[in-house]
């Protein structure tokens, strides 16, 4: 189905250069995204193939991502300190088992970092997104940026929180906080603006 849709889209708009998959849910939760990228790579090898993930399965799926012909990978990394990450997620479900906030944060961060390192060695363009939650990770942005740069991430994007769901009681960052976070990150890595 994706190939048919892509063919129609390219007929309507031949200027399309990128095919991306960013959900619903995490793209690595099933094999559907990777199968789709393999099909796109065979049928439209000149299209840039972009994937987004939360990185929970990145370490174990890194080789498949590379083999599927993905050109650009975006991973959402909101903390590299499990104590901070635990404040952002109440739990993590990993291979069918539910882990509490702190244990889940440790698993998530370890898989993100190891996976990013593997993918960085392949030459795939790496971008990391961080959702800025001022009270929780606002003072942690520089550390995240430094770590991302050290493992080969090329570009860093700071996204302001939209307070919903579990973080509905947190406030969105003010413009000056976003700017400060970007300045903190730019000491270490190229920042997307």
């Amino acid at each position: 189905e994706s190939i048919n849709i892509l063919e129609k889209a390219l007929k309507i708009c031949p200027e399309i250069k990128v095919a991306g998959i960013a959900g619903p849910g995490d793209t690595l939760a099933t094999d559907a995204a990777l199968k789709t990228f393999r099909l796109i790579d065979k049928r439209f090898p000149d299209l840039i193939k972009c994937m987004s993930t939360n990185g929970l399965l990145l370490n174990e799926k890194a080789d498949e991502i590379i083999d599927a012909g993905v050109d650009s990978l975006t991973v959402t990394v909101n903390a590299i300190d499990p104590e901070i990450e635990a404040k952002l997620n109440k739990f993590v479900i990993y291979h069918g088992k539910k882990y509490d906030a702190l244990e889940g944060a440790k698993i998530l961060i370890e898989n993100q970092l190891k996976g990013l390192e593997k993918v960085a060695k392949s030459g795939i363009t790496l971008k990391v997104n961080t959702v800025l939650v001022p009270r929780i990770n606002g003072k942690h942005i520089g550390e995240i940026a430094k770590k991302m740069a050290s493992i080969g991430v090329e570009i860093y994007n700071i996204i302001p929180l939209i307070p919903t769901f579990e973080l509905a009681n947190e406030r969105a960052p003010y413009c000056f906080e976003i700017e400060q976070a970007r300045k903190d990150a730019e000491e270490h890595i190229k920042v997307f603006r």
Side-chain angles (χ1 to χ4, degrees):
E1 290 177 2
S2 61
I3 296 301
N4 291 337
I5 291 168
L6 196 46
E7 284 174 343
K8 290 176 186 175
L10 287 165
K11 282 180 185 172
I12 295 168
C13 186
E15 299 83 16
I16 292 174
K17 302 287 183 234
V18 177
I21 303 176
D26 189 68
T27 52
L28 296 176
T30 70
D31 289 332
L34 293 173
K35 287 178 182 177
T36 302
F37 281 124
R38 285 186 195 98
L39 292 171
I40 293 169
D41 197 43
K42 285 180 185 171
R43 179 69 177 84
F44 306 103
D46 293 336
L47 281 180
I48 297 168
K49 291 158 291 299
C50 298
M51 173 187 239
S52 294
T53 177
N54 65 23
L56 181 60
L57 298 173
L58 183 56
N59 185 37
E60 59 202 76
K61 301 271 188 170
D63 291 333
E64 292 180 63
I65 291 167
I66 296 162
D67 292 341
V70 172
D71 299 295
S72 178
L73 180 70
T74 300
V75 181
T76 300
V77 178
N78 292 323
I80 56 169
D81 178 338
E83 296 284 341
I84 294 171
E85 182 68 39
K87 295 174 184 173
L88 297 167
N89 294 297
K90 288 186 176 182
F91 61 88
V92 169
I93 297 174
Y94 182 58
H95 292 304
K97 184 175 177 188
K98 186 176 181 180
Y99 294 89
D100 69 18
L102 185 57
E103 192 62 29
K106 290 176 184 176
I107 292 167
L108 175 62
I109 292 167
E110 180 180 353
N111 286 339
Q112 290 173 328
L113 296 178
K114 286 182 177 178
L116 282 164
E117 286 176 5
K118 285 181 183 178
V119 175
K121 291 175 185 172
S122 75
I124 291 174
T125 300
L126 285 177
K127 181 178 82 160
V128 163
N129 288 343
T130 295
V131 178
L132 177 60
V133 186
R135 190 182 62 83
I136 298 174
N137 67 358
K139 303 265 189 259
H140 187 53
I141 298 298
E143 288 178 63
I144 299 169
K146 184 177 182 179
K147 182 66 177 176
M148 295 304 107
S150 76
I151 59 178
V153 173
E154 296 174 48
I155 192 155
Y156 189 52
N157 185 26
I158 299 165
I159 302 169
L161 172 72
I162 299 171
T164 57
F165 303 108
E166 298 295 331
L167 296 173
N169 292 327
E170 295 294 329
R171 67 170 176 78
Y174 299 120
C175 291
F176 77 87
E177 291 170 314
I178 297 167
E179 186 58 30
Q180 184 59 55
R182 288 176 176 158
K183 285 180 183 176
D184 293 345
E186 282 175 329
E187 291 180 23
H188 308 285
I189 196 169
K190 182 179 177 185
V191 173
F192 180 82
R193 288 181 175 264

